[in-house]
Amino acid sequence: MQNTAIAIILDEHRSLAAVLHGLRHLVREMREHGRPPDFRLLGAMLYYLDAFSEKLHNPKESLYLFARLKQRCSEADEVVAELEKQHQESSQLGRDLDHALARLEAGVPDGLELFSAAVERLLPEAWQHMATEEKVLLPLARKHLTEGDWAEIAAAFGENGDPRFGAKPDHEFRDLFSRIVNLAPPPIGVGPER
Ligand SMILES: [Fe+2]
Ligand SMILES: [Fe+2]
């Protein structure tokens, strides 16, 4: 179960990273090549980051992985505290990003600059956060969590997830991710060139 749980978490990180990379690419295209903003695509990406990362991935990590690891080893206290703080901060960064997109869509003159700044603030935080989870937290978890803990984590992150987070969320997010890939132009996705 350990490998199953870890594979799901790494896979979720890869999906999030793909959307973040795509977002940065689109912003650079808009700033450097004057590409007009595709609000449908940008909206879908921001919705994905909020609904998948903020409302599902992060809370599951906190509730299952971090909480269990804190019970099993005090060595993890410091890194768990740091990651929990980053989960809180990333909610604010997400709200800033939504706000900046609304300004861009409203045609505020500095809208693109503000949106671009919000994206550039979020990205390094997100990379660093995922890297700390993968390089520091997961190795500690591998060492200290029990087979029962891993079964519980795998179930929470698995297909039917935790009912507290809604019915069949994984299907919905896979569909949403495919929609983003279908809307996004190459090299991010397979959508139409614009
Ligand atoms: Fe996290
Ligand atoms: Fe994570």
Side-chain angles (χ1 to χ4, degrees), residues 59-71:
K60 281 184 185 182
E61 283 178 342
S62 295
L63 206 60
Y64 293 96
L65 183 61
F66 298 179
R68 203 50 87 204
L69 188 57
K70 265 177 78 81
Q71 282 177 349

Side-chain angles (χ1 to χ4, degrees), residues 9 13 16 57-58 61 87 129-130 133:
I9 292 168
H13 282 186
L16 289 168
H57 177 83
N58 292 353
E61 283 178 342
H87 279 181
H129 179 80
M130 289 192 276
E133 286 176 346

